[in-house]
Amino acid sequence: KFDGCDLLLGGFNVVSDYKSNIEKKVLFTEDHNYSCVSRLDFVRMYEKWVIQMPWNKLYKLKIIQTSKIRFDENFSLGEDVLFNIDYLTNSNGNIAILNKPIYNYTRTGIESLDNKYYPNLKSIYDSIYERIFEFCDEFNLSNTDIQHMYASYFYSIENVLKNTFSEKNKATKKDKIRYNNSIMKSKEFVQSLNNSDCYINPAYKFAYKSGKYRLVMLVDNLVKMKVANKLHPIKSIEARTQSYVLNHFEKSKYAKRL
């Protein structure tokens, strides 16, 4: 079944370390036991969360040795997907998928690399997605695929904004807000926001486009108070939401601090 494929990958279980029970099963598809795809299906595999990591895969050592593919030791996050992109680039591009769990990924209660504070998280994500978009361009992936990757990029930069306010970041609140303002005005964030095909709450989208993180904080507070529920889903919701947020913002203490 796997003849002519340079990469074999499988599904996996996400397991809680508290009760050792399976929280969820991650598979490329449940329709077939086996799938044969190519690197052109990279975005589908990325969205299914089966291409990012190395521990659910079998590689051909010869390809790794001949192409001198290595994990980038300058990264503590994202080096796995960069390795896999390099491997796919230097392989014949054919991938065999076993749609069964072959690995148990244990979600621990202790801090992992995924939820640590990274002072350079934005630059890490920028490097990762720059390589991903180069891969998309090299192998002529569709515009739809690229839009999906911009959506992923957008969500990643959203994580950067949250990462800034980690308790382990000892900067002042004012400096954190200024830093997030600079991120929201960066070309990478603007590109991901404009090219993404994902749904973004109109209030948040308006706040993001303003480049002012205090406005995002205000929307957060409004959402927590469930004020957004009073905005009925009618045709002019975006305009009404923007007006509502802007009016409250102009009257708030935040506006005076910008």
Side-chain angles (χ1 to χ4, degrees), residues 126-235:
D126 287 346
S127 297
I128 292 170
Y129 281 94
E130 180 181 14
R131 182 68 186 94
I132 288 175
F133 287 123
E134 286 175 354
F135 177 87
C136 292
D137 184 59
E138 182 176 357
F139 294 103
N140 297 314
L141 269 64
S142 70
N143 289 333
T144 300
D145 283 341
I146 292 172
Q147 284 182 323
H148 287 342
M149 290 314 307
Y150 269 117
S152 176
Y153 196 8
F154 169 76
Y155 288 131
S156 295
I157 302 182
E158 267 196 327
N159 286 333
V160 176
L161 298 174
K162 295 173 185 176
N163 178 71
T164 302
F165 277 80
S166 166
E167 293 180 358
K168 294 189 176 181
N169 182 358
K170 301 306 179 184
T172 66
K173 182 178 180 181
K174 190 174 183 179
D175 286 338
K176 290 178 181 179
I177 290 172
R178 284 176 176 170
Y179 178 71
N180 277 0
N181 285 346
S182 69
I183 290 176
M184 290 166 60
K185 293 174 183 175
S186 68
K187 66 177 183 179
E188 294 85 7
F189 184 79
V190 173
Q191 263 189 330
S192 65
L193 182 61
N194 291 336
N195 293 308
S196 168
D197 63 350
C198 64
Y199 172 79
I200 302 171
N201 180 297
Y204 276 107
K205 192 167 188 177
F206 175 71
Y208 286 139
K209 286 190 173 184
S210 76
K212 298 174 182 178
Y213 193 71
R214 285 192 185 275
L215 188 50
V216 177
M217 295 168 67
L218 178 62
V219 175
D220 282 339
N221 289 332
L222 292 174
V223 170
K224 288 176 184 176
M225 293 187 295
K226 299 185 178 180
V227 175
N229 290 340
K230 297 179 182 179
L231 300 172
H232 302 292
I234 57 177
K235 189 164 58 176

Side-chain angles (χ1 to χ4, degrees), residues 14-220:
V14 178
V15 180
S16 167
D17 71 333
Y18 295 110
K19 298 181 180 179
S20 297
N21 61 309
I22 297 175
E23 295 181 352
K24 67 177 178 178
K25 188 187 300 181
V26 178
L27 303 174
F28 179 68
T29 179
E30 295 186 11
D31 296 336
H32 310 284
N33 289 332
Y34 304 97
S35 300
C36 292
V37 299
S38 78
R39 59 189 163 209
L40 299 182
D41 296 291
F42 174 84
V43 174
R44 286 177 60 206
M45 291 184 288
Y46 193 94
E47 291 179 330
K48 293 291 186 177
W49 201 251
V50 295
I51 196 63
Q52 286 87 331
M53 64 291 295
W55 34 256
N56 65 333
K57 297 175 180 62
L58 290 176
Y59 304 88
K60 287 188 176 179
L61 180 60
K62 185 177 181 181
I63 294 175
I64 294 173
Q65 290 176 330
T66 302
S67 303
K68 298 180 180 179
I69 303 170
R70 298 291 184 271
F71 290 97
D72 192 332
E73 296 182 2
N74 294 315
F75 286 80
S76 57
L77 180 73
E79 71 277 15
D80 294 346
V81 69
L82 294 176
F83 178 92
N84 287 331
I85 287 174
D86 286 345
Y87 185 88
L88 289 175
T89 299
N90 289 281
S91 71
N92 66 10
N94 296 325
I95 304 159
I97 300 178
L98 178 62
N99 292 307
K100 296 179 181 179
I102 61 172
Y103 187 91
N104 283 341
Y105 172 74
T106 303
R107 190 190 300 277
T108 63
I110 61 174
E111 186 177 44
S112 69
L113 288 176
D114 291 332
N115 55 30
K116 284 184 176 179
Y117 168 62
Y118 295 88
N120 61 335
L121 188 58
K122 169 107 174 10
S123 63
I124 291 174
Y125 281 136
D126 287 346
S127 297
I128 292 170
Y129 281 94
E130 180 181 14
R131 182 68 186 94
I132 288 175
F133 287 123
E134 286 175 354
F135 177 87
C136 292
D137 184 59
E138 182 176 357
F139 294 103
N140 297 314
L141 269 64
S142 70
N143 289 333
T144 300
D145 283 341
I146 292 172
Q147 284 182 323
H148 287 342
M149 290 314 307
Y150 269 117
S152 176
Y153 196 8
F154 169 76
Y155 288 131
S156 295
I157 302 182
E158 267 196 327
N159 286 333
V160 176
L161 298 174
K162 295 173 185 176
N163 178 71
T164 302
F165 277 80
S166 166
E167 293 180 358
K168 294 189 176 181
N169 182 358
K170 301 306 179 184
T172 66
K173 182 178 180 181
K174 190 174 183 179
D175 286 338
K176 290 178 181 179
I177 290 172
R178 284 176 176 170
Y179 178 71
N180 277 0
N181 285 346
S182 69
I183 290 176
M184 290 166 60
K185 293 174 183 175
S186 68
K187 66 177 183 179
E188 294 85 7
F189 184 79
V190 173
Q191 263 189 330
S192 65
L193 182 61
N194 291 336
N195 293 308
S196 168
D197 63 350
C198 64
Y199 172 79
I200 302 171
N201 180 297
Y204 276 107
K205 192 167 188 177
F206 175 71
Y208 286 139
K209 286 190 173 184
S210 76
K212 298 174 182 178
Y213 193 71
R214 285 192 185 275
L215 188 50
V216 177
M217 295 168 67
L218 178 62
V219 175
D220 282 339

